[in-house]
Amino acid sequence: MSTASMTAAALVDPVLGFELAYWQQTTIKVVLALVIVPTATAIVVQTFLFKMMAGMQSRMGPMEAGPYGALQLMADGLKFIQKELLAPSAADRRVYALAPVVSLIATFMVFVVIPVGPNGFAANLRTGIFYALAVSSLSVVGVLMAGWSSANKYALIGGIRAGGQLIAYELPLVLAVIGVVIQAGSLNLQDIVVAQHSGEIFGWGGIGSPYIITQFVGFLLFMISIQAELTQPPFDMPVAESEVVGGWQVEYSGLQFLFFYIAEFGAAFGFSAIASTLFLGGWAIPFVDLDAGIMHIVGPLVLFGKTMAVAFLIFWVRFSYPRFREDQLQQFAWKFLIPLALANIVVTGILKVVF
Amino acid sequence: MSQLAFSTLAQLSAEGGDTLVAQNIFFSIIAIIMVFSAIRVVTTKNVVHAALHLVLVLAGVAAIYILLTAEFIAVTQVLVYIGAIVVLLLFGIMLTEARLGEDQNLNNNYRLPAVITAVALLAVMSFALWDQFDDQKLPEPLFDGADDPALVEYALENEPGLFDELDPQDDNYDDQVAEIIEARASLFNGVQDTEEVSDTIFSTYIIPFEAISVLLLAALIGAIVLARKE
């Protein structure tokens, strides 16, 4: 089963029984994206940042708003919306106002290519994973804009730290994915899901071939790199509150801060979804045919479950380790992760040719 | 139609139109943004603003690649130029000198050489384009839409195993064949594929590719040597 037949299936919608016009499809996709990204952010923040972190630190977490604090984010969101948008008088107003929007757009664009079911994608790009990595790197521009335009030395230092870190960890991130691409023989995320479902591990095809088994090194590299790309601890030098009082975000308030917040945790969800698509088989489950009608409904739920499992790993590490020093952080990327990623590519290439 | 880049040529071939209305409108919008930003890159009084306008120019280039259905090149443009080069540029500016507000001493005395270089570059590029393409138009689609019967023959000739998975006894056999053909119509009509790009780079253009690699390596080593001078 190739992308080709997948796209053909998408053209004739089997669920609705009729085909929607291009503009109707696009409108639905845009509305869905506007709903899904903030919702995903809310779920990640509520589950992990509020409740899981509280559990690991023997606290209750938010308990007042709603049952077990379930409505805490509604309260926080309303608070953010009500606040005045402040900017330092020396700030570069236009760049300052644009920076959160750039970060947010980069996050939204990542979600476009993630497949959630047999026909469930906003765009089935042939360069799927390559596109996702490219647009995610745009968020650095937003961060640098924010750091520079705030007219604050802590913001500038934070922005520079973020720039250096994101450039350094972009490389192992891209290189880690290449192993998967070699194995699947495609950049398209839907093809990668299919390849994992129908693949075999050295001739044994019992559960297909989730690449976390054959590409375990790649998975570790990918997880470490996205931890750094998301500036989550232990890679949170750019926003270290004890050193640069919050880094590039320091001057932002209200809705603009909320934009950065959604961009950060929305990207955490998006990257987790990509990791589960690349390494855990995406929306597919073993023993169930990819074309089965039930997958239209089960697929998104399966992907959501896997995504939450991966996000759990990110936040588990986040709450467990102290932060790196700047020189350790750079050395770790350039002297350890990148050579390891290159070795992984060579080994994968050789094995692909031999078997 | 779920893929913008994937469907542009396919739509064209389906509608059989010669005037690329949507493409022309979007090309104009992108071109205006790019020209405006490019002018601002050299006229703005602030280095960071210049770099940010450069982002717009490079994003415009990527958008034009998408209009030409060269999806892989467009994504590479974003990853390499915006995601890496401009970010490094901004990083370098901020690390050294990044004042807010207007800077007075941004211009230097090299206006004349700059003009000469720009005109020469324009001349070379125009000549290359003119020489290569003359008055050629975009390649015509080979088939009229996805239901052209010639497509099935063409598909079988180029990919003999395409329908092997299907069972000819099946009642839906014709529909399934049509589905596969429809999905590949744009491919058969000459939309560029990632595999095609890699095949050409590593066969036809292998020597230029290697030469560029060595050049970049030399530049890299040169930078290290300059930076580590003790």
Side-chain angles (χ1 to χ4, degrees):
Chain A
M1 180 123 183
S2 63
T3 351
S5 38
M6 281 292 196
T7 10
L11 291 173
V12 188
D13 197 323
V15 181
L16 296 172
F18 57 91
E19 206 176 330
L20 290 169
Y22 180 70
W23 68 269
Q24 289 167 323
Q25 289 188 16
T26 311
T27 316
I28 293 175
K29 284 170 187 170
V30 169
V31 172
L32 269 180
L34 288 177
V35 174
I36 285 175
V37 179
T39 314
T41 311
I43 291 171
V44 165
V45 171
Q46 178 74 33
T47 324
F48 297 117
L49 207 61
F50 289 174
K51 287 303 176 183
M52 177 187 155
M53 187 185 190
M56 287 180 72
Q57 297 172 345
S58 303
R59 306 184 276 116
M60 302 284 276
M63 291 295 282
E64 295 297 325
Y68 294 94
L71 298 176
Q72 180 63 34
L73 278 167
M74 301 284 274
D76 281 351
L78 278 176
K79 185 191 75 179
F80 278 127
I81 291 167
Q82 286 172 347
K83 278 193 170 180
E84 187 185 353
L85 298 180
L86 295 170
S89 55
D92 189 315
R93 292 287 172 136
R94 260 184 302 171
V95 179
Y96 183 83
L98 263 176
V101 182
V102 172
S103 282
L104 195 60
I105 287 176
T107 298
F108 268 91
M109 284 172 81
V110 172
F111 279 77
V112 167
V113 285
I114 300 172
V116 296
N119 302 322
F121 39 71
N124 191 14
L125 299 180
R126 275 164 301 159
T127 48
I129 180 61
F130 193 40
Y131 163 89
L133 295 174
V135 293
S136 73
S137 70
L138 294 182
S139 65
V140 197
V141 178
V143 166
L144 287 172
M145 283 164 74
W148 173 75
S149 65
S150 295
N152 178 318
K153 62 181 171 186
Y154 296 114
L156 186 61
I157 294 171
I160 290 172
R161 281 181 175 187
Q165 174 171 325
L166 298 191
I167 293 166
Y169 283 86
E170 186 82 24
L171 288 164
L173 182 69
V174 175
L175 294 175
V177 170
I178 290 181
V180 170
V181 173
I182 292 174
Q183 269 205 288
S186 176
L187 289 168
N188 180 293
L189 285 168
Q190 194 73 285
D191 277 357
I192 291 174
V193 171
V194 175
Q196 288 181 76
H197 187 265
S198 57
E200 291 176 339
I201 307 169
F202 298 115
W204 178 70
I207 52 163
S209 168
Y211 291 146
I212 188 172
I213 298 174
T214 45
Q215 284 290 328
F216 189 68
V217 178
F219 179 69
L220 285 184
L221 287 166
F222 190 85
M223 292 308 293
I224 294 171
S225 307
I226 61 177
Q227 194 90 15
E229 288 283 311
L230 299 166
T231 62
Q232 300 289 341
F235 300 96
D236 65 335
M237 287 286 296
V239 290
E241 68 288 339
S242 53
E243 298 164 29
V244 289
V245 291
W248 73 84
Q249 305 170 344
V250 61
E251 295 289 357
Y252 284 90
S253 64
L255 209 55
Q256 289 173 329
F257 180 77
L258 186 65
F259 276 15
F260 272 126
Y261 202 75
I262 293 177
E264 182 182 348
F265 290 101
F269 190 86
F271 270 121
S272 304
I274 288 176
S276 39
T277 305
L278 289 178
F279 295 100
L280 301 178
W283 52 267
I285 29 179
F287 313 119
V288 180
D289 192 34
L290 285 175
D291 280 336
I294 191 85
M295 287 314 288
H296 292 289
I297 297 142
V298 178
L301 298 175
V302 169
L303 183 72
F304 179 74
K306 290 176 178 174
T307 305
M308 289 302 271
V310 175
F312 172 79
L313 284 180
I314 294 178
F315 285 89
W316 190 10
V317 172
R318 175 192 163 117
F319 302 139
S320 301
Y321 291 99
R323 80 174 57 102
F324 274 110
R325 224 169 51 216
E326 183 71 33
D327 60 324
Q328 292 170 333
L329 185 137
Q330 292 290 341
Q331 285 197 354
F332 187 55
W334 292 101
K335 292 190 176 168
F336 180 69
L337 290 182
I338 294 176
L340 186 63
L342 290 172
N344 183 43
I345 293 173
V346 172
V347 172
T348 311
I350 292 172
L351 287 179
K352 170 93 175 179
V353 174
V354 172
F355 290 99
Chain B
M1 289 288 168
S2 54
Q3 304 142 276
L4 184 65
F6 205 78
S7 59
T8 39
L9 271 192
Q11 277 172 347
L12 276 185
S13 60
E15 286 152 19
D18 295 319
T19 49
L20 313 170
V21 177
Q23 273 84 344
N24 277 331
I25 292 172
F26 278 102
F27 175 78
S28 312
I29 295 172
I30 295 164
I32 290 168
I33 295 174
M34 280 174 69
V35 170
F36 172 77
S37 313
I39 293 172
R40 289 296 290 161
V41 170
V42 287
T43 55
T44 182
K45 290 265 190 265
N46 188 303
V47 195
V48 177
H49 284 186
L52 292 176
H53 280 112
L54 193 61
V55 171
L56 275 181
V57 178
L58 296 170
V61 176
I64 285 181
Y65 284 139
I66 287 187
L67 279 188
L68 294 170
T69 69
E71 191 184 306
F72 182 78
I73 314 284
V75 176
T76 314
Q77 172 84 14
V78 172
L79 184 73
V80 173
Y81 282 90
I82 304 178
I85 291 183
V86 175
V87 168
L88 267 179
L89 207 70
L90 276 170
F91 183 69
I93 296 170
M94 286 183 191
L95 208 56
T96 49
E97 184 169 309
R99 280 192 218 103
L100 288 152
E102 297 196 348
D103 237 331
Q104 294 306 318
N105 305 318
L106 278 182
N107 291 323
N108 56 27
N109 298 326
Y110 294 112
R111 285 211 178 177
L112 189 65
V115 168
I116 294 170
T117 317
V119 171
L121 192 64
L122 178 69
V124 169
M125 285 168 73
S126 320
F127 175 75
L129 281 177
W130 195 268
D131 192 47
Q132 180 68 38
F133 297 106
D134 205 357
D135 55 354
Q136 276 180 36
K137 300 220 164 93
L138 278 175
E140 291 285 320
L142 292 168
F143 307 101
D144 315 328
D147 42 7
D148 188 340
L151 258 173
V152 180
E153 281 172 39
Y154 182 82
L156 279 176
E157 204 172 294
N158 284 278
E159 294 182 48
L162 194 57
F163 306 116
D164 283 359
E165 282 176 29
L166 306 182
D167 176 15
Q169 309 302 328
D170 199 323
D171 290 340
N172 300 325
Y173 182 68
D174 287 345
D175 290 343
Q176 288 169 338
V177 168
E179 250 182 39
I180 293 180
I181 293 292
E182 190 174 356
R184 309 213 132 196
S186 57
L187 219 71
F188 292 143
N189 272 324
V191 176
Q192 168 229 47
D193 209 359
T194 314
E195 284 149 42
E196 225 174 284
V197 174
S198 71
D199 281 351
T200 3
I201 287 182
F202 291 104
S203 59
T204 322
Y205 298 108
I206 182 76
I207 292 179
F209 177 77
E210 290 293 334
I212 289 174
S213 311
V214 174
L215 184 73
L216 285 176
L217 185 66
L220 205 67
I221 295 171
I224 293 170
V225 168
L226 282 179
R228 301 215 95 190
K229 201 161 51 187
E230 264 141 27

